[in-house]
Amino acid sequence: MDSRVLGRARVAVALTFAIHGAVSGAFATRIPWIQEHVHAGPGQLGLALLAPAVGSLIAMPMAGRMSHRFGNRPTTRWLLALWCLVLAFPALAPNLAALWVTLLLFGAVAGMCDVGMNAQGIVAEQRLGRSIMSGLHGMWSVGGLVGGGLGALAAHFEVDARLHLAAMAALLLVVGVVVGRDLLDIRPEEDEEAPAHFVLPPRRILVFGLIGFCAIFGESASADWCAVYLKQVTGASPGLAAASYTAFAFTMAAGRLCGDMVVRRLGPVLTVRISGLLATVGGVLVVVARTPLPAITGFMMLGVGVAVVVPLAFTAAGNAARTPSEGVAGVATISYTSGFVAPSAIGGIAAQTSLPVSFGVVTTLMVAVLLLAGALARRPAPLTPASDAATRP
């Protein structure tokens, strides 16, 4: 494949990840406006915010079938365009029921687009012959920070969320359509059997899904509970408690952006073992901390520890399955389930025991990441000339 074409494809998939993250970041900043608009209480809003996770879990297994029928590039382009468009919908919901339906669609499109763009990243990585997946997920974090920052400005100046999200949707849609032209044209071979309409994770990639499950559980638990932990357990001020999330998010984004360099030098197995060890030590610091500094340090270590684990689990699954889309869909279905259950699980355990005990569970899962890292040593089968021809510029 022409190196210039491959270079453009790498930039295109990186920007695709950033756009996907920017949509998520923009939406997150306007949740308070949406809550007030539909007159939802905290409990009602919590139920509504479960809808995106439900939509993703239902829709992601179907993404492989779409890529097989239409090709990955058209599928990813149109799903990204739809993902940008649906950003405008939640602020238009007139009531809680409409918001729930809207967020269900929001999550379904997000999940399927996630599968398509990760499959693009895996094939681009195969063609380049070096790790890029961690950096791609880092670009998602960068996009989220940009989208969230613009959203925070809009909220600060009291811009109507309907206007703000519609403008962001239009802007990101235009950028996404342009960017999508340079994605790789990944198509199945002529004799390749189409996947089922609803694909359950193949047995051979379950271990990769378990690794991703543990990492995302730690990520979601830390992101949602770090500020509460700082305030309730260590007695931190509200400002310092909020800063703990910034510290966690920063180290996770930095870890992903630098992760490919580490993977190229150390390999995926040793990288995940070190990551699991860092996350475990961070979890222990959080559990024993009773003052702010060690707790924030622990959350920062958790952030850098989980940063590269999910990208590497996706890569391993994409290489092990019949097609990258099938592998990513399987692992994403398992992994993202933990993002669905982690916040409520932490709260439920804390209600019966304490927050330190809850993060003892998180620490145990980080030990599991360390112990399961050896599964990533499985190497993909070498590409055949026929499969190489199936990816056309």
Side-chain angles (χ1 to χ4, degrees):
M1 177 179 290
D2 189 300
S3 61
R4 290 173 297 179
V5 172
L6 190 54
R8 291 198 300 269
R10 181 184 178 182
V11 172
V13 72
L15 291 176
T16 298
F17 271 79
I19 292 166
H20 194 285
V23 173
S24 296
F27 166 71
T29 61
R30 305 319 302 263
I31 290 175
W33 188 97
I34 294 169
Q35 177 184 13
E36 183 178 346
H37 182 66
V38 298
H39 308 292
Q44 293 172 318
L45 179 65
L47 288 174
L49 292 177
L50 289 178
V54 173
S56 290
L57 292 174
I58 291 172
M60 280 190 296
M62 296 183 281
R65 180 85 180 192
M66 293 177 63
S67 291
H68 183 276
R69 180 173 181 180
F70 303 110
N72 182 273
R73 180 165 67 186
T75 298
T76 304
R77 286 188 72 188
W78 291 113
L79 284 172
L80 182 65
L82 185 57
W83 172 231
C84 293
L85 282 174
V86 297
L87 174 61
F89 292 178
L92 301 176
N95 52 52
L96 191 62
L99 178 63
W100 203 94
V101 173
T102 299
L103 292 181
L104 188 73
L105 172 64
F106 191 75
V109 177
M112 289 190 290
C113 185
D114 190 283
V115 170
M117 69 188 192
N118 273 284
Q120 279 280 330
I122 290 168
V123 174
E125 182 174 89
Q126 291 171 349
R127 296 294 177 265
L128 287 164
R130 62 181 185 274
S131 174
I132 63 169
M133 283 294 288
S134 179
L136 294 179
H137 282 252
M139 288 298 294
W140 190 95
S141 298
V142 170
L145 289 171
V146 172
L150 292 174
L153 286 174
H156 176 74
F157 289 106
E158 299 183 350
V159 177
D160 190 295
R162 289 167 292 193
L163 176 62
H164 163 229
L165 295 184
M168 285 293 295
L171 174 63
L172 293 172
L173 173 63
V174 171
V175 176
V177 169
V178 173
V179 164
R181 295 182 301 184
D182 287 328
L183 293 173
L184 292 171
D185 189 13
I186 308 167
R187 296 186 181 274
E189 299 176 33
E190 292 183 2
D191 59 347
E192 184 177 308
E193 182 181 352
H197 287 282
F198 189 91
V199 182
L200 292 175
R203 196 174 293 178
R204 61 186 174 276
I205 67 169
L206 287 177
V207 66
F208 305 136
L210 180 58
I211 293 171
F213 180 97
C214 295
I216 290 182
F217 193 102
E219 176 184 339
S220 297
S222 298
D224 288 358
W225 285 94
C226 61
V228 176
Y229 195 100
L230 263 288
K231 186 175 180 180
Q232 294 187 0
V233 177
T234 72
S237 66
L240 189 57
S244 67
Y245 172 78
T246 303
F248 168 79
F250 175 80
T251 55
M252 189 170 69
R256 284 178 171 169
L257 290 172
C258 299
D260 290 317
M261 179 177 62
V262 178
V263 174
R264 292 167 196 161
R265 182 176 294 271
L266 302 180
V269 173
L270 184 55
T271 299
V272 172
R273 282 178 177 156
I274 293 172
S275 296
L277 180 60
L278 286 171
T280 300
V281 174
V284 171
L285 272 176
V286 169
V287 170
V288 302
R290 294 299 179 269
T291 56
L293 182 58
I296 292 176
T297 302
F299 282 117
M300 292 176 72
M301 293 182 70
L302 276 166
V304 75
V306 301
V308 302
V309 176
V310 173
L312 289 176
F314 279 5
T315 299
N319 288 330
R322 289 189 313 159
T323 66
S325 293
E326 181 180 329
V328 170
V331 166
T333 302
I334 299 170
S335 300
Y336 291 155
T337 300
S338 66
F340 178 71
V341 303
S344 57
I346 293 296
I349 295 170
Q352 298 300 317
T353 55
S354 67
L355 275 173
V357 171
S358 294
F359 275 87
V361 174
V362 172
T363 304
T364 302
L365 293 178
M366 298 304 100
V367 174
V369 170
L370 172 63
L371 297 177
L372 292 170
L376 298 174
R378 300 175 185 175
R379 297 183 179 275
L383 290 168
T384 63
S387 62
D388 186 69
T391 303
R392 296 186 291 272

